[in-house]
Structures are given as C-alpha cells and as structure tokens.
C-alpha cells in the first residue's frame, strides 16, 4: 500500500519509518536545532509544552552509545547507523496548577510529528521506537519521577535497503499497511462510515 493521494501534502506522502540510514553522512548541530525548533512550536494543552529531548549526535560516542544501550536488541541492530538518537520525554504535570496533565504524552507525540515532518522537508528520515527499556532510561539519566520517557527517535539521511540483513531488509521493502477509512472515521455516530 502506498499513499499516492495527490491531495495529501507531499511531506506526509514522503514520510515513512525506514531502518536503513546513511551511516557515513552526519547530521550537524544546526540541523538538529532546526528539528527541535519545529518540535518546540507544536500545540499543547494549556501551552504547557511537556516535551523534553535528550539528544546525542553520533560524533559524541559516549552519549550516542548511552541512548543506544536503552534500545532492545532488534532496534539496536539498525539504529546504531543513525546519525542522531534522541529520547523524547513528557513532563507529567501541568505548569499552571501542578495537576496531572492527561495530555502530556499526546503533546509529546504532536511535537515528535512536527519534528518528523521538518526532518522530511530537510531530506532526513526519522524512525521512532517504543522498543526500549524505560527503566534503563530512568537509571542512566537519573530521571526525576515527574518525567516519563516516551519514544526514542533515530534519525539521519536515508540509506539503502541492501545494507540490511534478511528479515530487516524484507520489512524495509514490505508494502506499508493502513486501516481502511471506514474503520477509523465515523459519520456523526459510532461505527457509521463517513
Ligand atoms: C510510538 C511508536 C513506537 C514505535 N516503535 C517501534 C519500534 O520499537 N521498532 C520499530 O522498528 N518501529 C517502531 N515504530 C515504527 C512503526 O512500526 C511505524 O511507524 C509503523 O509501522 C508505520 O510505518 P510508517 O511510519 O513507515 O508509516 C514505532 C512508531 C511509533 C509511532
């Protein structure tokens, strides 16, 4: 399945989550700052801006390896070729009243989506992961209870599926899947197709 509807913006059509990165092409600090600026301007509940990022460029090997070590093995195999790894985190309380922010993770997702589309516009690819050990993140970064790790993002310039081994290459080349519109969008009442 491909997203070939020309009325959907080209950036959204282009975006996907590959596992093959160009391991030789670095992403510089300026590019990373642009990505984070795109994230920073995401909408959020009460403008609380619950998103936080721990960032490691590959040139900073100790920092990069620390994030890499939090990932499950099946993600490490390909994410080690990324130019940048980031941990996205959510601050769980609202700023204005100190009460739990039920939308914190939602808003981190929105910031990550903006970051990802900005990356796409810059010719970069982003692959988010839930396959990591949140307790390892807590331990390695002495994370305060107020914060939850949300996803780890691998990003860089795209590589080629040929650089991946067997099953990973198959997944890279497999058709993308989406639920049908009837399953996700309803016309005024639950379950009625639009
Ligand atoms: C919150 C989240 C967690 C994910 N976790 C993983 C992961 O641990 N490993 C992985 O290979 N892909 C992971 N993905 C990528 C999804 O599998 C991918 O987005 C989905 O299959 C749709 O493909 P597309 O992004 O290319 O459209 C994750 C994506 C998101 C948004």
């Amino acid at each position: 399945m491909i997203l070939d509807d020309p009325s959907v913006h080209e950036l959204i059509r282009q975006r996907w989550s590959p596992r093959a990165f160009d391991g030789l092409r670095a992403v510089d600090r300026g590019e990373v700052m642009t990505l984070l600026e795109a994230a920073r301007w995401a909408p959020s509940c009460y403008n609380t801006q619950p998103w936080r990022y721990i960032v490691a460029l590959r040139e900073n090997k100790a920092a990069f390896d620390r994030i890499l070590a939090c990932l499950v093995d099946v993600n490490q195999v390909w994410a080690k070729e990324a130019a940048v790894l980031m941990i996205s985190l959510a601050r769980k309380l609202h700023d204005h009243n100190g009460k739990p922010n039920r939308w914190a993770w939602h808003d981190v997702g929105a910031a990550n989506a903006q970051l990802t589309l900005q990356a796409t516009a810059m010719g970069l690819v982003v692959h988010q992961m839930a396959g990591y050990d949140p307790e390892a993140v807590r331990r390695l970064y002495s994370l305060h209870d107020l914060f939850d790790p949300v996803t780890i993002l691998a990003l860089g310039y795209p590589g080629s599926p040929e650089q991946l081994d067997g099953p990973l290459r198959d997944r890279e080349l497999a058709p993308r899947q989406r639920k049908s519109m009837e399953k996700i969008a309803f016309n005024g009442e639950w379950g009625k197709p639009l």
Side-chain angles (χ1 to χ4, degrees):
M1 186 188 286
I2 53 167
L3 203 184
D4 56 3
D5 180 344
S7 53
V8 172
H9 197 284
E10 196 188 335
L11 279 179
I12 294 168
R13 281 189 277 144
Q14 279 174 7
R15 186 215 63 80
W16 71 301
S17 304
R19 292 164 191 83
F21 294 95
D22 182 343
L24 299 175
R25 192 160 171 203
V27 170
D28 65 32
R29 190 178 177 282
E31 291 171 298
V32 170
M33 295 313 286
T34 302
L35 299 177
L36 293 169
E37 191 67 0
R40 200 161 75 94
W41 285 94
S44 63
C45 185
Y46 274 99
N47 201 16
T48 288
Q49 304 162 55
W51 43 79
R52 302 288 185 275
Y53 292 93
I54 298 171
V55 180
L57 278 67
R58 205 165 55 187
E59 67 198 29
N60 185 348
K61 189 169 165 23
F64 188 91
D65 286 350
R66 195 183 313 162
I67 298 185
L68 193 65
C70 297
L71 293 171
V72 297
D73 291 350
V74 285
N75 284 333
Q76 281 192 29
V77 171
W78 53 266
K80 67 179 191 310
E81 299 299 330
V84 180
L85 292 175
M86 294 186 189
I87 308 174
S88 64
L89 308 105
R91 187 177 188 277
K92 296 189 280 185
L93 303 183
H94 274 299
D95 289 341
H96 70 285
N97 61 8
K99 291 194 171 155
N101 178 3
R102 200 161 80 78
W103 296 274
W105 280 53
H106 171 277
D107 293 348
V108 174
N112 286 344
Q114 291 207 177
L115 183 156
T116 300
L117 288 177
Q118 177 66 39
T120 309
M122 292 162 65
L124 294 161
V125 289
V126 179
H127 196 138
Q128 292 197 63
M129 291 163 279
Y132 69 92
D133 178 355
E135 290 315 312
V137 173
R138 291 201 172 282
R139 194 174 59 251
L140 287 171
Y141 298 92
S142 305
L143 204 62
H144 193 284
D145 272 353
L146 263 178
F147 296 91
D148 271 345
V150 179
T151 56
I152 294 184
L153 299 87
L155 66 97
Y157 286 95
S160 155
E162 275 68 56
Q163 70 197 56
L164 300 169
D165 284 339
L168 275 185
R169 190 191 312 134
D170 294 345
R171 282 172 72 187
E172 194 81 342
L173 296 171
R176 295 169 71 203
Q177 300 295 335
R178 284 303 186 266
K179 293 192 166 103
S180 65
M181 194 62 85
E182 297 73 50
K183 283 201 171 134
I184 64 154
F186 307 134
N187 190 4
E189 56 189 84
W190 186 261
K192 186 174 166 193
L194 196 63

